Amino acid sequence: MAIEFFERLTSNTTTVFLGATMAQAAFNAANDINGGNHPDPVPRVNVWPSLKKFGNDTTTQPYSPFGGVSNPEYIWNQPTSDGQTVAFAVASERINANPGFIRSCSVFLGAFADNAMEAKIELFEDIGGGGDGPYAKAFPQPGGLDEFLLISGDPDTPAVGLTEMKPYNWQDICMYSTHFEVLNTEVF
């Protein structure tokens, strides 16, 4: 099976969207809603892992399809406050599934947080029918998406007083991969 469509999305202050909840952040990203809904850059603390591409993953290499994609940025919603929780989302480009055909999709997620996080992958569909949205969460969601919540660290007990000692409670790079199929719909 050949990979027909693939892309690399990274954390940044331009295409990542904020929300008070995961659902709001995902809606903002799917519908490209601007107006102050982007995160702020955060300087890397020297105990955090450095997240970056291999040095020769550039546009000059014939086998680097993502050579032009920049390294991930550390992002947050400033100013930081005690026990603060922020939801981020980024959307892929629109993927078409021709009527009557099954579209196979694979997703690979790599994520990092300095304390704790929850993550999920959701499928949105074009409800406008013209390919330009608006987009709403597809129902039903394929198995392994939507309410399957990936959890790392302890998000139910956030730090209070910002008094944690470096290197903080949790700072692993977490990875998740899944595969799902979509039938007869336009997805995003």
Side-chain angles (χ1 to χ4, degrees), residues 80-124:
T80 304
S81 62
D82 294 352
Q84 183 180 24
T85 300
V86 181
F88 301 99
V90 62
S92 73
E93 292 294 323
R94 187 170 68 108
I95 304 167
N96 290 324
N98 295 324
F101 290 91
I102 294 175
R103 180 71 168 212
S104 295
C105 301
S106 295
V107 177
F108 302 90
L109 171 68
F112 163 81
D114 73 343
N115 193 336
M117 89 167 111
E118 297 175 343
K120 66 180 175 176
I121 301 164
E122 296 175 319
L123 181 68
F124 279 71

Side-chain angles (χ1 to χ4, degrees), residues 25 41 48 56 61 65 79 82 96 100 103 111 119 129 139 149 152 170-171:
W48 292 349
N56 64 340
Q61 299 297 321
D82 294 352
N96 290 324
R103 180 71 168 212
F139 182 80
L149 199 57
S152 194
W170 175 81
Q171 58 173 6

Side-chain angles (χ1 to χ4, degrees), residues 13 18 25 27 29 42 44 46 48 51 53 56 65 91 99 102 107 119 124-125 159 166 181-183 185:
T13 58
L18 290 170
F27 180 83
V42 174
R44 179 179 163 255
N46 63 1
W48 292 349
L51 304 174
K53 306 183 301 185
N56 64 340
I102 294 175
V107 177
F124 279 71
E125 64 184 340
K166 293 178 184 178
E181 294 181 338
V182 178
L183 174 63
T185 185

Side-chain angles (χ1 to χ4, degrees), residues 5 10 16 19 30 39 44 49-50 56 62 65-66 77 113 148 165-167 181-183:
F5 169 85
T10 62
V16 173
R44 179 179 163 255
S50 181
N56 64 340
F66 304 118
N77 186 20
F148 176 63
M165 300 299 294
K166 293 178 184 178
E181 294 181 338
V182 178
L183 174 63

